Amino acid sequence: MELDDIDWSLLAALQQDAAQPNQALAERVHVSPPTALRRVRRLREAELITAQVALLDEDRIAAAQGHGLTAIAEVSLDRQGAQHLDAFERRAVADDAVRQCYRVAPGPDFVLIVRMADMPGYQLLAERLFTQDANVRNVRVFFATRRAKFDTRIPLRDS
């Protein structure tokens, strides 16, 4: 699918605020409302837009619930064959506490961003993912004390 300047502008505008009315979106990218609607529909059909969600502020939710713990875990495996990497990845992404999972190189095999209610919740996660897997060689965990930036936008070409 070929994208033109209007498509890129629509994608950029939707990353900023996907809840804006079509009229406001059309004005923002300088097209008519029917054009904006048709273009956005086409971008969805091409699966360039996969979902529209509400992003919750984890820190405010944690404060309202009275708890919340974020950790970044570096995981190294003993055996790095494709089947071993795939097996650990499947287990990690299936766990609700794992918010993001990256295969990385060089260094550890995986970096996980995990979120749980509290330290006992982290202990349960560690048992599920790290200690019960005989192939996990080393885990380094960093507990977040403050999040200075969080952005879900994908950098796009100038739009």
Side-chain angles (χ1 to χ4, degrees):
M1 174 178 182
E2 296 263 339
L3 301 179
D4 63 16
D5 290 340
I6 295 170
D7 295 320
W8 288 113
S9 294
L10 286 166
L11 290 169
L14 290 169
Q15 283 193 104
Q16 291 284 1
D17 180 7
Q20 62 188 306
N22 184 60
Q23 178 74 31
L25 178 64
E27 289 174 12
R28 187 167 175 181
V29 300
H30 310 293
V31 296
S32 70
T35 297
L37 194 60
R38 185 180 71 254
R39 293 285 192 111
V40 170
R41 186 177 304 121
R42 189 180 64 129
L43 294 168
R44 281 195 187 102
E45 289 169 358
E47 297 181 347
L48 291 169
I49 300 170
T50 59
Q52 287 182 245
V53 299
L55 297 177
L56 306 181
D57 186 314
E58 287 185 354
D59 295 328
R60 289 178 190 226
I61 295 294
Q65 292 179 329
H67 52 70
L69 182 67
T70 300
I72 298 98
E74 298 177 347
V75 181
S76 298
L77 304 180
D78 266 335
R79 296 174 303 281
Q80 283 89 23
Q83 71 275 18
H84 299 293
L85 293 167
D86 290 344
F88 181 82
E89 183 177 288
R90 278 192 304 275
R91 288 181 49 244
V93 300
D95 195 293
D96 286 340
V98 176
R99 309 310 313 147
Q100 298 175 52
C101 175
Y102 299 93
R103 279 194 198 185
V104 297
D109 298 304
F110 292 91
V111 172
L112 307 177
I113 310 298
V114 297
R115 181 80 180 184
M116 49 264 134
D118 49 26
M119 192 55 78
Y122 170 75
Q123 183 61 36
L124 292 172
L125 169 80
E127 290 171 8
R128 284 191 309 271
L129 286 183
F130 310 143
T131 60
Q132 292 177 2
D133 188 334
N135 193 34
V136 173
R137 177 179 32 140
N138 189 46
V139 179
R140 264 179 41 162
V141 178
F142 306 90
F143 293 97
T145 58
R146 179 175 174 217
R147 181 175 69 187
K149 181 178 181 179
F150 175 77
D151 194 347
T152 62
R153 292 174 296 161
I154 296 171
L156 302 175
R157 68 173 217 176
D158 293 338
S159 49

